Amino acid sequence: MGKLYNFKRSLWVFHASGGSCNGCDIEIIAALTPRYDAERFGIKLVGSPRHADVLLVTGAIPRDFADKLRRIYEQMPDPKAVVVVGNCGTTGGVFYDSYNLVGPIDEIIPVDVYVPGCPPRPEAIIDGVVKAWLKIEKLEKQLEGKE
Amino acid sequence: MGKTQYYIPVGPIHPALKEPIRVEVEVEGEKIVKVDVKRGFAHRGIEYMGMKRNAIQSLYLAERICGICSISHPYAFVLGSEKALGIEAPPRAQYIRPIIAELERIHSHILWLGVIAHEMGFDSLLFWTWKGREKVLDLLELLTGNRINYSVFMIGGVRRDIKESQIKAIKDTIDFYRTFTEEMKNVFLSDPIYKARSRGVAQLSKEMALKLNVCGPVARAAGLRMDIRQDNPYDAYADIGVKAIVPQDIVGEAKGDAYDITLVRLYEIEQSLDIIEFCVENMPEGKIMAIPNYVVLLSRIKKKAGESIGMHEAPRGEVVHYLKYDGTRDGPAVWKVVAPSYNNINTWGSLLLGAEVADIPIVVAYIDPCLCCNDRIAVVKNRDGRVIDYSLIHKKAIEKTMRVKRELGVRE
Amino acid sequence: MRGEQLTAEQVLEKLQEALGEVIISHEIREYTMGVRKKKSYKEIWMEIDKDAFRKTVEEIFKLDYPHLHFITGEDKGGDTIKMIYGFALYHGFPWGQVSIVLKFDLPKSNLVLPTITDLMPGAETNEREIREMLGVEFEGLKNKRHLFLPDDWPEGKYPWRRDEYGVEDMVKHTHKSVNEIRRGE
C-alpha cells in the first residue's frame, strides 16, 4: 500500500443504499463506531453527495434507482471515487435473476474499488475506502498538473 | 389566508435512515398537516426469485431479505417448511436455534437504542450503545462464523453445533449484558431529557394498534400482549413459557409512545438473556440435523406436498412466511413473506399528523423501520416542491432537545 | 373490540353455524411443539365459496378483532387465481392464537374482490401489494397507487402471474449458468 501524503483534508464519504439487504449498511455504520472508529483517520460520513469525496454504494440497484444513482454520482465534485460494498452490488450476487434489478453497479456508474463479502467486515470496508483515497490522491495530482 | 404551507420531502436517501424511503409531509409553521409515505425503494422481488429456486437456495435468499433480521426470516422459513413437510428438528437443534435468534434480538434492540439516541441528538450515546453491541456480534461470529448473515439454520435442524468451549463465551457475554442493560436502563429511562423528548411522542392507542394491524414491540408498547413466542410457541420457546413484555406489567399503564417502546425493548434484552441462559443450561445432547444430506433433503422435499404458515417473533415484530410445496419441484411453489415493518409503517400516517417537524425523526425511527424486509422493490420519483433536506430536520430535532434541556434546567 | 377466547373447534363450529353451505371444505391442523413439555396449537384451514368471502370475513370479525397475517395468491397459469387470506384470532393468549386460512378460486375473467379496509384500515398495505403483484382489483380500496412497484411500471405486468401477464421478459440475469457458458452464450 502506498503512502498517504498529498491529501490536504480529511476524506468525506457519502453512502447510498440501493436495494441492499441492510447488512452492508449496518457494517458501514459499525465502521464509524468506537470499535473500528474510522473517524480517527478523518473519514467521515456526510449527508450530501456535494460534500463527498468517496461514494459508497450497496445493493443491486433496483430499476428506478439507477437514474437516482447517476445523479448522485454527477453531483459529486472531482476528484471522486466510487466504492462498491458487498457481493450483490459487485455481481448481482444472490439476486441474480430479479425483474426489478438493473445492477451490477459498474454497469451504471464507473466503479474504482470493489469490496466483496456478504457482508464484508468493517475492516474490509475501511480498507476499500483507503484504496479509494489513494486513487483520489492520484487524480488530484493530475488535476493540479493540468492547472 | 396567512397560512403558508410548505412541502417537505424526507428521503429517500439520507444518512440517518440508512435505507431508502420517502416521507412527504406538508407543514403549516411547525405542525404537520398532511402525510404521504412512499415505500418501495428497496424492492428486489425476492418471493418471485424464491419461487424459481430450490428450497435451500430460497433459504439463503430468505436470509438476505434483511441483514439485521438475518436469522428471523430463515427461522420463519424453516419452521414453515418443517410444518409443511412433516420434518422435525432434533431436540438439540431446537435449543440452539433460540440462542442464535435471541442473540440477534439483543444486537437489533441495542442498534435501535443507538439510532433513537442519534435522532434526538445524543451522538455519544449512539457510540456508547454501539460499542456495547460489538460484544454480541463477536459472540455470533464465534458461534456461526459471521457477524451478519449467519447461514446457520437448515430445514430440519442447524448447521453448526455449539461446543463446550463456546458455552463459556456465551455465559461471559450474558454476564456482560446483565450489567450493560442495567446501565442502559439508567441512561435511557431515568434521563429527564430523554423522557421529555419521548413521552407522548408517537403515541399509539391500543385500539389504533389493533386497527393498523401492527405487531411486535410497537403493539406491545401500546398494551397488546402479542408475541408469537407466547401465542404459538415453537422449539425451546414452548418449554420456557415466554411471556410478552408489556409496559402495564412494568410501570402500571401502557401509553404506547416512544418512551414505552424504549421500556419494552430494554426489558426484552433482559428476557432474551434469560432465554439464552435457559437454553444453554438445558440443552439436550444428540444430533443437530434431521436429514444431514442436502441431496436427500431436496429429494424428500420434491416428493412431498404441503402448505403451512411459518411464524417467528423477530426483534421488530412477527415475521410470517406462507409456504406451499406442490410435490413436483424441490422448492416452494408459493412463497409469501410478511415482515414486521410491512405492517408497522402503517402507523406513520396517523402518528405524524399534528406532530411537530422536530418529531419526525423520532416517529419515523420509533418502529425501527426495516425497509429491506418491507420492500423487496425500488422506486424513486422526483417531485417539484420546496426541498428542505433531512439534515435540517435532524438539526431541528437536536435544537428541540437542547430547548427541552434548557427548560428542564439540566446542567451538562 | 376483543372477543371471548374460544378454541379452534368452537371457532369452526360458530363459523359453520353462521355460514352453512358456504364452507366447501375445512380442516383443523394440530401442531405439537416443544421438547420437554409437549403441547399443541391448532390452525383452521378452510376452502370457501368466493361469493361469500366478505360475509366470512365479517363473521370472523364478530368473533374477535383479528390480526391479518397475510394475503397472497397462487397462479398456476390456468384460468383462476387461488386467493389465500391468513387471519389470526385471539393473538395475545398463550398457546391460544388460532390462525384461520381462507382459500378460494377467483376467475381471471373477473378479478374483483371486496375490500376489507373498512373493517381493518391496516389491510390497505396488503391489498395494494396484491393489486400490483397479481392484478386483483379491490372494490372500495381508496388508495390505489403502486406500493412497491415504480409509478411508471408498465400496464398489465404482474410479477406473481405465471401467464402472459408475467414478468419473465423483464428479468435481468447477471450471472451465466454453467450450461450457458458451455454453450458459448
Side-chain angles (χ1 to χ4, degrees):
Chain A
M1 193 178 283
K3 265 190 199 158
L4 300 167
Y5 51 88
N6 194 34
F7 211 57
K8 298 183 190 78
R9 54 183 188 274
S10 57
L11 189 83
W12 285 10
V13 178
F14 182 75
H15 165 216
S17 157
S20 81
C21 78
N22 219 352
C24 300
D25 311 49
I26 283 307
E27 293 293 64
I28 289 170
I29 308 293
L32 299 174
T33 53
R35 167 75 70 87
Y36 302 100
D37 200 9
E39 281 190 23
R40 75 198 138 120
F41 306 122
I43 302 173
K44 193 184 159 201
L45 216 56
V46 290
S48 162
R50 288 175 204 276
H51 301 157
D53 305 299
V54 170
L55 175 63
L56 284 184
V57 198
T58 57
I61 310 301
R63 205 166 277 279
D64 270 18
F65 198 81
D67 169 52
K68 194 96 188 161
L69 185 63
R70 257 180 234 119
R71 290 223 320 270
I72 290 173
Y73 180 74
E74 281 158 13
Q75 280 176 22
M76 285 171 61
D78 279 324
K80 57 190 166 191
V82 177
V83 181
V84 170
V85 178
N87 279 349
C88 53
T90 309
T91 63
V94 72
F95 311 118
Y96 62 87
D97 60 347
S98 167
Y99 53 86
N100 201 50
L101 298 178
V102 293
I105 293 166
D106 52 11
E107 290 182 17
I108 299 158
I109 54 171
V111 175
D112 301 297
V113 182
Y114 299 91
V115 184
C118 193
R121 298 180 59 88
E123 293 98 323
I125 297 172
I126 297 173
D127 185 43
V129 173
V130 170
K131 290 216 164 91
W133 196 336
L134 290 170
K135 153 115 194 189
I136 288 179
E137 279 190 347
K138 227 189 260 169
L139 286 175
E140 199 162 58
K141 259 190 183 166
Q142 281 172 9
L143 280 176
E144 277 169 3
K146 268 181 206 164
E147 278 160 10
Chain B
M1 301 297 271
K3 275 184 186 170
T4 317
Q5 290 197 354
Y6 289 103
Y7 164 80
I8 308 181
V10 182
I13 297 288
H14 55 77
L17 260 184
K18 296 182 292 294
E19 296 167 82
I21 197 161
R22 192 183 179 96
V23 183
E24 291 166 5
V25 297
E26 270 176 36
V27 294
E28 276 175 22
E30 286 283 309
K31 280 262 174 297
I32 296 165
V33 293
K34 198 179 159 196
V35 187
D36 190 10
V37 181
K38 180 94 186 89
R39 318 186 188 191
F41 292 96
H43 183 110
R44 284 154 279 160
I46 283 186
E47 286 128 326
Y48 168 82
M49 291 187 271
M51 288 187 239
K52 296 200 295 187
R53 299 185 190 179
N54 76 34
I56 294 176
Q57 289 168 332
S58 300
L59 177 61
Y60 280 75
L61 203 51
E63 189 160 330
R64 278 148 189 86
I65 288 172
C66 173
I68 308 178
C69 340
S70 60
I71 222 63
S72 306
H73 286 281
Y75 209 154
F77 187 93
V78 296
L79 282 173
S81 300
E82 284 168 9
K83 273 163 82 176
L85 302 163
I87 299 171
E88 202 192 331
R92 190 173 174 85
Q94 294 197 23
Y95 270 71
I96 293 175
R97 281 186 202 167
I99 293 177
I100 311 283
E102 293 308 315
L103 287 173
E104 183 188 78
R105 191 182 315 279
I106 293 171
H107 101 66
S108 177
H109 279 355
I110 297 177
L111 181 151
W112 179 83
L113 289 163
V115 169
I116 197 90
H118 167 74
E119 299 292 8
M120 287 179 187
F122 301 124
D123 270 345
S124 37
L125 192 51
L126 161 77
F127 287 127
W128 177 67
T129 46
W130 278 55
K131 188 181 157 205
R133 173 179 169 265
E134 287 293 330
K135 204 108 183 160
V136 68
L137 292 179
D138 284 348
L139 180 61
L140 280 165
E141 190 175 7
L142 179 73
L143 297 179
T144 68
N146 208 358
R147 286 160 55 91
I148 283 166
N149 288 356
Y150 319 108
S151 300
V152 77
F153 285 20
M154 184 49 65
I155 298 167
V158 288
R159 290 177 54 237
R160 274 167 195 261
D161 205 351
I162 291 182
K163 297 185 203 74
E164 206 48 53
S165 58
Q166 290 167 328
I167 284 180
K168 187 178 177 301
I170 297 175
K171 284 185 175 155
D172 288 349
T173 312
I174 292 174
D175 289 342
F176 170 79
Y177 280 105
R178 290 247 183 252
T179 349
F180 188 65
T181 316
E182 216 42 62
E183 286 167 8
M184 281 199 293
K185 268 190 197 163
N186 260 331
V187 170
F188 280 94
L189 299 179
S190 34
D191 182 57
I193 305 165
Y194 186 83
K195 198 165 182 173
R197 280 300 265 129
S198 59
R199 256 290 172 238
V201 176
Q203 198 157 5
L204 192 71
S205 68
K206 201 170 171 178
E207 200 187 348
M208 281 302 283
L210 270 176
K211 280 193 168 163
L212 292 173
N213 205 24
V214 298
C215 54
V218 179
R220 289 196 284 276
L224 282 173
R225 274 173 212 278
M226 58 188 286
D227 187 326
I228 298 289
R229 296 173 295 169
Q230 166 202 292
D231 301 348
N232 283 160
Y234 43 91
D235 290 356
Y237 295 124
D239 296 357
I240 297 164
V242 180
K243 288 266 168 297
I245 294 204
V246 282
Q248 60 260 43
D249 291 351
I250 308 166
V251 290
E253 70 174 320
K255 289 187 172 147
D257 54 15
Y259 185 81
D260 273 358
I261 209 160
T262 319
L263 197 74
V264 167
R265 286 200 163 105
L266 279 166
Y267 278 83
E268 274 184 15
I269 296 176
E270 290 198 330
Q271 185 188 34
S272 295
L273 293 172
D274 293 342
I275 293 172
I276 298 168
E277 214 157 44
F278 177 92
C279 289
V280 167
E281 271 159 23
N282 296 286
M283 206 182 327
E285 291 299 319
K287 54 178 194 168
I288 52 168
M289 289 267 277
I291 307 167
N293 187 323
Y294 296 158
V295 181
V296 177
L297 176 66
L298 283 176
S299 69
R300 168 122 180 230
I301 291 170
K302 200 168 178 177
K303 278 184 223 126
K304 193 132 174 142
E307 56 185 332
S308 71
I309 321 170
M311 290 180 281
H312 169 62
E313 186 73 22
R316 291 167 178 73
E318 58 170 43
V319 167
V320 180
H321 283 217
Y322 168 81
L323 284 151
K324 181 177 173 182
Y325 291 93
D326 59 5
T328 60
R329 58 184 294 270
D330 50 7
V334 184
W335 183 23
K336 172 81 187 91
V337 178
V338 176
S341 300
Y342 184 93
N343 291 324
N344 287 347
I345 291 177
N346 293 345
T347 57
W348 286 358
S350 37
L351 290 182
L352 283 172
L353 270 185
E356 278 180 49
V357 176
D359 289 334
I360 295 178
I362 299 166
V363 173
V364 167
Y366 107 110
I367 66 158
D368 199 0
C370 184
L371 308 166
C372 317
C373 290
N374 172 48
D375 288 8
R376 311 177 301 276
I377 271 198
V379 199
V380 182
K381 269 257 148 182
N382 236 24
R383 292 269 287 273
D384 294 318
R386 195 184 139 117
V387 179
I388 300 177
D389 69 13
Y390 191 81
S391 52
L392 187 77
I393 295 174
H394 182 56
K395 219 167 92 195
K396 270 179 180 278
I398 297 173
E399 277 166 13
K400 186 171 175 185
T401 305
M402 293 302 159
R403 202 172 67 228
V404 168
K405 205 184 217 171
R406 274 198 306 278
E407 282 166 12
L408 292 173
V410 178
R411 277 182 298 156
E412 290 284 342
Chain C
M1 283 168 98
R2 302 302 300 267
E4 189 195 340
Q5 193 195 357
L6 302 173
T7 63
E9 286 85 359
Q10 287 168 320
V11 169
L12 185 64
E13 206 173 293
K14 287 226 170 190
L15 288 176
Q16 276 172 323
E17 247 171 58
L19 297 162
E21 299 274 294
V22 165
I23 302 171
I24 297 166
S25 67
H26 58 81
E27 188 187 345
I28 290 183
R29 295 189 188 169
E30 192 172 351
Y31 296 100
T32 306
M33 295 290 172
V35 176
R36 294 201 155 84
K37 284 184 238 159
K38 296 226 181 260
K39 212 175 163 185
S40 62
Y41 64 82
K42 284 167 186 167
E43 291 173 3
I44 304 172
W45 292 67
M46 294 198 305
E47 190 95 24
I48 57 164
D49 185 355
K50 78 169 171 56
D51 298 321
F53 160 68
R54 171 80 195 188
K55 189 158 185 284
T56 313
V57 175
E58 277 168 9
E59 288 302 326
I60 291 174
F61 271 76
K62 273 183 205 164
L63 293 172
D64 180 30
Y65 198 92
H67 178 75
L68 179 62
H69 277 326
F70 62 87
I71 306 177
T72 187
E74 182 190 11
D75 180 15
K76 283 184 177 159
D79 297 329
T80 56
I81 289 177
K82 187 168 282 296
M83 293 299 300
I84 306 153
Y85 276 69
F87 291 97
L89 292 176
Y90 316 118
H91 47 288
F93 295 95
W95 292 94
Q97 175 166 281
V98 179
S99 297
I100 303 180
V101 181
L102 303 178
K103 297 168 76 175
F104 52 93
D105 286 317
L106 203 61
K108 279 186 183 168
S109 53
N110 186 25
L111 285 176
V112 182
L113 270 180
T115 179
I116 58 165
T117 49
D118 51 335
L119 298 166
M120 179 189 273
E124 186 193 296
T125 316
N126 305 60
E127 292 191 352
R128 275 168 66 191
E129 186 186 16
I130 294 307
R131 192 176 166 270
E132 64 183 10
M133 293 295 171
L134 282 164
V136 176
E137 214 38 73
F138 288 91
E139 239 168 43
L141 177 65
K142 287 194 189 88
N143 189 349
K144 294 201 174 185
R145 216 176 58 183
H146 275 302
L147 182 70
F148 293 141
L149 297 177
D151 285 337
D152 55 357
W153 183 257
E155 285 258 326
K157 283 277 181 197
Y158 304 107
W160 294 353
R161 291 279 279 268
R162 287 182 188 156
D163 50 18
E164 68 269 27
Y165 299 105
V167 289
E168 284 298 317
D169 51 333
M170 295 175 80
V171 171
K172 179 176 176 181
H173 285 268
T174 58
H175 293 276
K176 277 182 181 171
S177 71
V178 176
N179 286 336
E180 276 167 342
I181 294 167
R182 275 189 195 137
R183 284 200 302 268
E185 278 171 18

